[in-house]
């Protein structure tokens, strides 16, 4: 990875952002080195041994005006370049492909126009992409460093960003707004591919039946996945991934017992979470969901969990 | 060294109170300044230790010495302690209390009892903050910014932490009020506004921000409490609220809060440079008025913390524009400080070393702030390690180094003893190197895309993080050396005399350490504050 990847152009936003960097860094470096140099020179040149008597100078109006006006002009130049790079970010072309981005603790869902939902962001090269961001819990922020784009995903607010990917490859997608326990693990990949390959990828999916989608929505709405991950990582409670059909050692009143996680077990664990606690996890952390979910909703959840291999 | 008439100084003169009561019941502004010095130094060390633990965890990728929840608690508590308990009160509460009345020729502040009460409020808030770390459901994990709706949902100890910030805010308001009235009403005869030294000037500008901006954060924090307790939907969308409203309200205070800490820091530097250059400060009026300009324009730039929040496009460029404008008065100060050194007769002593390094670090902090103020470049580095590096250069490199400069400058006057200058200079060098090794790499990994508040990171950021952690160890070593050296002087130091540096402001005319009422006779001021002949 080279230092700034200046103007390397993984997306069409790189140029504007990096130009504003270069302008500001250039001017700043000049002043930093210049002023520091002058200061060090004065400290050496006017040391009390070399210059035992100070010359009293009250100030100079001319100089005050100069060093008010010159910085003012320079910062306006900086402002202009910042504005120019940014203005482009807000003007989305009409033919942009829309992708809905749903952020939640702690993962991203990318939903394409044909209904396909992906955990990674697959993109066709050289095509304007508009990401419509939203969150279902707290504030997150979608950041793709190589593309120089970032915008917050705010609950009940429709934010967006757009760009044109210009180089094939795999790029990091990160969350930059602190969102709790697994904030630093809330990553995904942006995968830029040729249009043909992208079309094949996009067409290849089995539309999920509405029952499973409902299950996932219920899990999110009740913040279940705050403690039970969907990707196998260990949080406060056991992960949902690969849970269905697996054998578990549970504690029943302090006695170990082996059970198979079938539908009956799942429903029982939602209704009476502390009756059979999986070994290695704390008891009495989760409350019963009998009053919070209908039987139908609990069945939807169980059906969804069956699909999480 | 000037000889001084024997006198009863403020440390010997206990006003008939015994032991600790001579301190915690005294309304003498100097004793209250010392109370703040001890409390703030203690919290600074605690906050620094927490920061050190974070750096230890980040020295290598993956989980090393703590889990993610602990880490999230650490950066929250580090932030709350450092912002609300150290840098915001810092210079004003310690050196403002001790020296403001003396520098303007007064016997005390306008409301001495209120002044002591402010310290009690400060301690109450501080103890609440400490309590929130250990009691109940565990350390708050929201970040010091308490962003909603995470802060209205988190099951951790958010409420005590919020109350802590609220009470600390009141302490700040009352101190500000006290200083405003003191400066208006109690200047010595003949001390016109433009005969007032620059540290009091900066405290005056700061005090107005404290009084006008702090109530906003107070109300905002109470709205969080109302939301958590009574389910009133201000910020949580699930209750019909708006999370962006929270961010606006929070930064309307918290951006000006940056100036609450940096303006007095600039004031300290404006005192120290003339003393060691033996020359009137260059552009006195420009420095004084630029403080007021910063305080004024600084109210209207808060939105630069929210460029990616989904704010309207117009708001974004408006805030960016004003952010660039507010950079100019800071630049004016830097030019004037450096020009003060021209044709001076410079005595390079410890306070001067800290002051000169302040100028260098503050420039780096300020110039990188321009990158964040600019709309396009901010999009890339917003909420990355670049921001962390930037504000540590401003807050620690600025306010922190200024505090170190001030303590070395005024220590002899406060305690009557001179510290070992050679050791102090060695400690300065270690602190300066450690600081840069700690924070500079964070600019680089930030530009490369390392987000902030990350417990774990991608392998390409390891080198940067490791160097940064080594810097933290160096910095902590330097700080410990500095403190030990100062403490030792209380026992072993040589008597400092009335005016060890050859300063010309009023604090160098009173006995060392000053008597309770500061002046036998209130002086009459006839000339400019920085008249060297
Ligand atoms: Cu996050
Ligand atoms: Cu700000």
């Amino acid at each position: 990875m080279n230092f700034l990847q200046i103007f390397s152009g993984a997306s069409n936003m790189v140029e504007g952002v990096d130009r504003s960097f270069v302008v500001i860094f250039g001017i700043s470096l000049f002043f930093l080195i210049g002023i520091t140099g002058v200061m060090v020179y004065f400290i050496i040149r006017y040391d009390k041994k070399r210059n035992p008597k100070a010359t009293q100078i009250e100030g100079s109006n001319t100089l005050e005006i100069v060093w008010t006006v010159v910085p003012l002009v320079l910062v306006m130049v900086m402002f202009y370049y910042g504005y120019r790079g940014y203005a482009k970010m807000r003007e989305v072309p009409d033919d942009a492909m829309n992708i809905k981005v749903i952020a939640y603790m702690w993962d991203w869902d990318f939903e394409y126009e044909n209904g396909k939902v992906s955990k990674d962001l697959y993109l066709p090269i050289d095509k304007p992409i508009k990401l419509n961001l939203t969150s279902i819990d707290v504030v997150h922020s979608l950041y793709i460093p190589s593309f120089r784009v970032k915008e917050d995903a705010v609950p009940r607010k429709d934010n967006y960003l757009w760009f044109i990917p210009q180089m094939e490859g795999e790029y990091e997608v990160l969350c930059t707004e602190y969102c709790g326990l697994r904030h630093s693990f809330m990553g995904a990949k942006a995968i830029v591919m040729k249009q043909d390959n992208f079309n094949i990828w996009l067409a290849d999916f089995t539309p999920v039946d509405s029952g499973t989608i409902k299950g996932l929505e219920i899990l999110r709405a009740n913040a279940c996945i705050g403690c039970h991950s969907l990707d196998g990582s260990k949080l406060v409670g056991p992960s949902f991934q690969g849970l269905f059909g697996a054998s578990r050692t549970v504690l029943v009143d302090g006695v170990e017992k082996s059970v198979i996680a079938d539908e009956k077990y799942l429903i029982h664990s939602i209704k009476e979470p502390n009756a059979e606690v999986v070994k290695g996890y704390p008891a009495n952390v989760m409350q019963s969901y009998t009053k919070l979910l209908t039987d139908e909703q609990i069945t939807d959840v169980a059906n969804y969990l069956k699909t999480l291999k | 060294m000037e000889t001084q008439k024997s006198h009863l100084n403020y440390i010997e003169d206990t006003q008939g109170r015994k032991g600790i009561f001579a301190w915690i019941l005294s309304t003498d502004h100097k004793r209250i300044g010392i109370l703040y010095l001890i409390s703030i130094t203690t919290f600074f060390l605690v906050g620094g230790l927490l920061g050190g633990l974070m750096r230890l965890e980040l020295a290598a990728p993956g989980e090393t010495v703590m889990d993610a929840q602990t880490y999230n608690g650490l950066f929250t508590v580090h932030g709350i302690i450092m912002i609300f308990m150290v840098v915001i009160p810092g210079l004003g509460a310690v050196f403002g209390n001790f020296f403001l009345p003396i520098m303007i020729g007064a016997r005390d502040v306008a409301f001495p009892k209120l002044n002591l009460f402010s310290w009690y409020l400060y301690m109450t808030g501080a103890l609440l903050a400490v309590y929130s770390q250990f009691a109940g459901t565990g350390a708050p994990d929201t970040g010091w910014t308490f962003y909603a709706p995470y802060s209205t949902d988190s099951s951790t100890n958010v409420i005590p932490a919020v109350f802590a910030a609220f009470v600390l805010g009141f302490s700040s308001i009352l101190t500000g009020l006290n200083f405003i009235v003191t400066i208006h009403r109690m200047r010595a005869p003949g001390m016109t506004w433009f005969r007032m030294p620059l540290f009091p000037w900066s405290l005056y500008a700061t005090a107005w921000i404290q009084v006008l901006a702090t109530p906003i954060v107070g109300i905002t924090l109470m709205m969080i409490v109302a939301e958590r307790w009574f389910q009133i939907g201000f910020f949580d969308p699930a209750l019909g609220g708006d999370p962006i409203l929270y961010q606006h309200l929070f930064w309307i205070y918290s951006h000006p809060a940056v100036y609450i800490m940096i303006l007095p820091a600039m004031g300290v530097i404006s005192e120290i440079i003339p003393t060691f250059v033996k020359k009137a400060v260059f552009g006195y009026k420009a420095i004084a008025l630029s403080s007021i300009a910063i305080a004024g324009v600084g109210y209207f730039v808060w939105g630069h913390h929210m460029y990616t929040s989904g704010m309207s496009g117009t708001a974004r460029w408006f805030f960016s524009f004003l952010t660039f404008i507010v950079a100019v008065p800071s630049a004016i100060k830097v030019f004037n400080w450096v020009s003060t050194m021209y044709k001076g007769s410079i005595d390079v002593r410890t306070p001067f070393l800290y002051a000169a390094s302040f100028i260098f670090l503050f420039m780096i902090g300020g110039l990188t702030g321009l990158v964040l103020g600019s709309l396009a470049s901010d999009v890339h580095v917003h909420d990355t390690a670049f921001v962390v590096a930037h504000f540590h250069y401003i807050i620690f490199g600025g306010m922190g180094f200024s505090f170190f400069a001030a303590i070395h400058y005024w220590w002899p006057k406060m305690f009557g003893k001179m510290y070992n200058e050679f050791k102090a200079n060695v400690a300065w060098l270690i602190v300066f190197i450690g600081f840069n090794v700690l924070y500079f790499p964070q600019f680089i990994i930030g530009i490369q895309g390392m987000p902030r508040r990350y417990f774990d990171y991608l392998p390409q950021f390891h080198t940067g993080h490791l160097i940064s952690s080594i810097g933290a160890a160096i910095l902590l070593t330097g700080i410990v050396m500095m403190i030990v050296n100062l403490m030792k002087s209380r026992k072993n130091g040589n008597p400092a005399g009335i005016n060890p540096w050859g300063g010309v402001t009023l604090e160098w005319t009173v006995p060392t350490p000053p008597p309770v009422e500061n002046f036998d006779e209130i002086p009459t001021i006839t000339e400019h504050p920085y008249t060297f002949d």
Side-chain angles (χ1 to χ4, degrees), chain B residues 187-260:
Chain B
R187 279 170 288 137
M191 182 175 280
T192 57
W193 282 94
F194 287 121
R195 282 184 190 158
M196 188 164 75
L198 288 165
F199 183 54
W201 257 109
S202 70
L203 290 173
Y204 182 71
T206 309
W208 277 111
I209 311 179
Q210 287 171 279
V211 169
L212 294 179
T214 318
I216 298 166
V217 78
I219 289 170
T220 311
L221 295 171
M222 284 308 104
M223 287 161 88
I224 290 194
V225 172
E227 185 151 331
R228 286 181 70 108
W229 279 354
F230 312 118
Q231 305 295 304
I232 301 172
F234 294 116
F235 309 128
D236 187 350
L239 300 170
D242 180 0
I244 303 299
L245 174 67
Y246 174 82
Q247 297 183 15
H248 277 293
L249 290 172
F250 181 81
W251 288 114
I252 285 174
Y253 164 74
S254 296
H255 184 79
V258 176
Y259 300 120
I260 296 181

Side-chain angles (χ1 to χ4, degrees), chain A residues 106 139-141 175-180 182-184 186, chain B residues 454:
Chain A
W106 291 275
V139 183
H140 304 271
S141 188
C175 175
T176 49
E177 185 61 67
Y178 173 68
C179 57
R182 293 184 59 76
H183 167 54
S184 59
M186 192 171 155
Chain B
Y454 262 32

Side-chain angles (χ1 to χ4, degrees), chain A residues 1-5 16-18 20-21 24-25 27-29 31-36 38-49 51-61 63-64 66-69 71-76 78-87 89-90 105-106 137-141 143-160 172-187 189, chain B residues 68-69 72-73 75-76 141-143 147-150 153 236-240 242-244 247 277-284 286 307-314 316-318 320-321 324-325 327-328 331-332 334-336 338-339 341-349 352 356-357 359-360 363-364 367-368 370-371 374-384 386 444 446-458 460-461 528 530-533:
Chain A
M1 186 173 195
N2 68 32
F3 174 59
L4 254 179
Q5 294 179 321
V17 169
D18 288 3
S20 89
F21 262 111
I24 298 173
F25 274 148
I27 297 174
S28 299
L29 221 56
F31 277 92
L32 179 66
I33 294 172
I35 296 172
T36 309
V38 168
M39 179 170 78
V40 171
Y41 171 76
F42 283 170
I43 293 173
I44 296 167
R45 170 66 187 80
Y46 299 112
D47 185 90
K48 66 173 177 184
K49 286 189 213 87
N51 198 33
K53 184 93 186 99
T55 313
Q56 297 303 322
I57 308 163
E58 298 272 298
S60 149
N61 285 337
L63 277 176
E64 298 294 344
V66 169
W67 61 50
T68 306
V69 173
L72 198 61
V73 171
L74 290 175
V75 294
M76 285 303 104
M78 297 179 191
F79 167 75
Y80 168 74
Y81 278 98
Y83 178 75
R84 216 176 70 167
Y86 148 83
M89 296 179 184
R90 307 318 292 165
M105 293 155 108
W106 291 275
D137 38 48
V138 300
V139 183
H140 304 271
S141 188
Y143 177 35
I144 310 175
S146 304
F147 293 176
R148 310 285 193 271
V149 294
K150 181 183 291 142
E151 187 83 1
D152 294 0
V154 182
R156 303 229 182 146
K157 191 167 183 334
D158 299 313
N159 283 353
Y160 69 88
E172 301 292 342
V173 179
L174 304 161
C175 175
T176 49
E177 185 61 67
Y178 173 68
C179 57
L181 187 65
R182 293 184 59 76
H183 167 54
S184 59
F185 301 99
M186 192 171 155
K189 294 266 184 248
Chain B
Q69 186 63 31
N72 295 347
F75 75 67
T76 303
D141 64 343
T142 59
Y147 265 23
Y150 189 74
D153 288 348
D236 187 350
L239 300 170
D242 180 0
I244 303 299
Q247 297 183 15
V277 173
K278 297 282 169 283
K279 188 166 162 271
V281 72
F282 194 93
Y284 165 87
Y307 289 160
T308 66
S309 68
M311 211 166 38
S312 84
T314 316
R316 292 187 211 201
W317 74 253
F318 179 73
S320 173
F321 184 81
F324 277 112
I325 298 286
V328 175
I332 293 173
V334 169
F335 287 121
N336 280 298
V338 174
S339 303
M341 298 177 193
Y342 174 66
K343 292 198 173 172
S345 175
I346 304 177
D347 193 5
V348 183
R349 309 284 282 273
F352 185 81
S357 40
I359 295 178
F360 175 71
M363 276 199 291
I364 296 181
L367 293 167
T368 51
L370 298 172
V371 174
S374 150
L375 290 168
S377 43
D378 177 72
V379 166
H380 181 51
V381 287
H382 190 87
D383 273 332
T384 66
F386 189 92
I444 296 168
I447 291 173
Q448 290 171 337
M450 170 72 215
R452 68 187 288 203
R453 295 177 167 176
Y454 262 32
F455 164 72
D456 196 3
Y457 49 81
L458 297 165
Q460 65 260 38
F461 300 120
H528 191 272
Y530 305 101
T531 308
F532 293 82
D533 16 57

Side-chain angles (χ1 to χ4, degrees), chain B residues 251 254-259 298 301-305 323 390:
Chain B
W251 288 114
S254 296
H255 184 79
V258 176
Y259 300 120
V301 301
W302 76 84
H304 63 210
H305 296 267
T323 301
H390 155 72

Side-chain angles (χ1 to χ4, degrees), chain B residues 434-452:
Chain B
F435 176 89
N436 285 292
V437 176
L438 166 52
Y439 295 114
F440 200 82
Q442 299 191 21
F443 282 126
I444 296 168
I445 57 176
I447 291 173
Q448 290 171 337
M450 170 72 215
R452 68 187 288 203

